[in-house]
Amino acid sequence: MESIKLDISKAAQFLNPGSVEGYAPQVAAAQEALENGTCPGNDFLGWLHLPSSITPSFLNEVQTVAKTLREKCEVVVVAGIGGSYLGARAVIEALSNSFAWLIKDKQNPTILFAGNNIGEDYLYELTEYLKDKRFGVINISKSGTTTETALAFRLLKKQCETQRGKEEARNVIVAVTDANKGAARTAANQEGYKTFVIPDNVGGRFSVLTPVGLLPIAVAGFNIEQLISGAQQMEQETGKDRPFSENIAARYAAVRQALYSQAGKKIEIIVNFQPKLHFMSEWWKQLYGESEGKDLKGIFPAACDFTTDLHSMGQWIQEGERSIFETVLSVEKPNNQLLFPHDDENLDGLNFLEGKRVDEVNKMAELGTRLAHVDGSVPNIRISIPTLNEYYLGQLIYFFEKACGISGLVQQVNPFNQPGVEAYKKNMFALLDKPGYEAESKAIRERL
Ligand code: PA5
């Protein structure tokens, strides 16, 4: 089987010769610390050998529950936020028909997402849409207490029970949560829902290859065995004994850190030339943003969809402040073929493209952009994906996770915690007069 590839040549040219290789000892130390469990955040290293430890019988169990949901539901709502949401959505959108939501697909239930915002209109419109639908819910929350998810679940549970009856609702509500604690666990135990456990040692943003991602992906009709098998291959290919020159996760981590600390490149923009990868970029943003942005340092992860955003952010990237570098996700072979037709009148002047594939134009746009941005002093990293399928997405996910762990450790932060996300929650609870927050409520009101 092929693998995804990494090309850093057009980024390394912005660094002193040997800079990337200069990181080899730090990267090796980071890999050693991950393997030996001696790094900060070492109680969250369960993702490291997750692909190779997943058994066929576990995947079967996920498939069995997915089959029940697929048979009993025309719509399945996945409630979750952050790491309990983005991975599943990234894979499902990358593999789905772009117009899946318009197509009456008898084979696969429609997958919708909730619990990732507190928009009243969003939740109202969702509940309206579900009114005449046979729907089920996958409630995903590791802590089991996340407000956005808990709010959505409360609404969805009630509606599901009202529409389907309490008994049948129990068959179509599944919880993916902690083994023992949190409100999601308590509710699941009380109601007798089928549950899957998020392992203690796997943090949210590293959890897509647990049931957090696997269950929704299987319900959507995609092959989770292939996803895991791609991740397994990447686990091997990025192992600590791989030489630095051959280890793409090590090299990606090294070039990022070199660009950040030696070339003043503070912002990394992940770009795709396939709209289906939009949510893969969102997942990547969360993975790198929460892992590295702390202790007053970290590369700011941003994302653009090209060529769409070349008509907006393209100007900034070409000529704005030179504090950015780009990482391009390039899909070598689309799954479909579409040729440009001949037009007798040629009013648009596009007959020179007659008989060419749409992808050929896209690839030339990609190459042209790469050259233009490099000319404009934007270092360019390219990750090529042979084609969009479960296997290569599994590789891509594990590649990014491994590189993130290494990169965070090289940057000397704990890549596996996220203390900063508590600040807004504390203020929100104080402002909402949550019991237990009386002192904070008083203090915050005095500041308003
Ligand atoms: O990466 C993380 O840990 C976070 O983004 C969490 O996934 C997110 O906050 C959701 O948390 P929970 O699964 O506890 O609801």
Side-chain angles (χ1 to χ4, degrees), residues 65-243:
V65 176
K67 187 163 172 278
T68 306
L69 289 175
R70 287 168 60 77
E71 282 167 3
K72 289 182 176 288
C73 306
E74 54 188 316
V75 177
V76 174
V77 186
V78 180
I81 193 167
S84 290
Y85 153 62
L86 286 162
R89 187 157 194 183
V91 174
I92 291 170
E93 301 230 348
L95 297 174
S96 295
N97 186 300
S98 306
F99 304 96
W101 49 285
L102 286 176
I103 297 169
K104 262 237 136 324
D105 181 350
K106 296 266 183 301
Q107 279 188 328
N108 296 304
T110 301
I111 309 293
L112 299 177
F113 296 90
N116 55 69
N117 64 62
I118 322 178
E120 186 161 353
D121 284 342
Y122 185 92
L123 287 167
Y124 175 85
E125 286 157 13
L126 175 67
T127 50
E128 279 297 298
Y129 172 78
L130 292 172
K131 265 186 178 151
D132 56 352
K133 307 286 185 307
R134 284 184 307 118
F135 80 92
V137 186
I138 306 177
N139 184 31
I140 309 178
S141 178
K142 186 171 185 204
S143 63
T145 55
T146 301
T147 311
E148 289 87 340
T149 307
L151 268 173
F153 183 65
R154 179 185 275 225
L155 289 164
L156 293 166
K157 172 180 187 283
K158 235 189 177 59
Q159 185 170 357
C160 186
E161 287 172 350
T162 308
Q163 288 177 206
R164 304 191 78 154
K166 223 168 159 40
E167 244 349 277
E168 182 61 356
R170 283 196 183 103
N171 297 323
V172 293
I173 297 179
V174 179
V176 183
T177 188
D178 185 85
N180 305 300
K181 52 182 195 303
R185 165 57 56 189
T186 314
N189 288 350
Q190 210 162 294
E191 300 288 355
Y193 300 147
K194 170 72 193 161
T195 64
F196 286 98
V197 170
I198 308 175
D200 272 349
N201 62 355
V202 180
R205 58 190 173 277
F206 288 84
S207 70
V208 51
L209 300 177
T210 72
V212 167
L214 297 178
L215 181 62
I217 293 166
V219 173
F222 299 114
N223 187 327
I224 54 174
E225 282 86 3
Q226 279 299 305
L227 189 80
I228 294 300
S229 141
Q232 281 168 353
Q233 179 169 342
M234 197 45 59
E235 184 185 325
Q236 279 179 10
E237 289 186 11
T238 59
K240 80 171 170 56
D241 296 328
R242 276 272 154 158

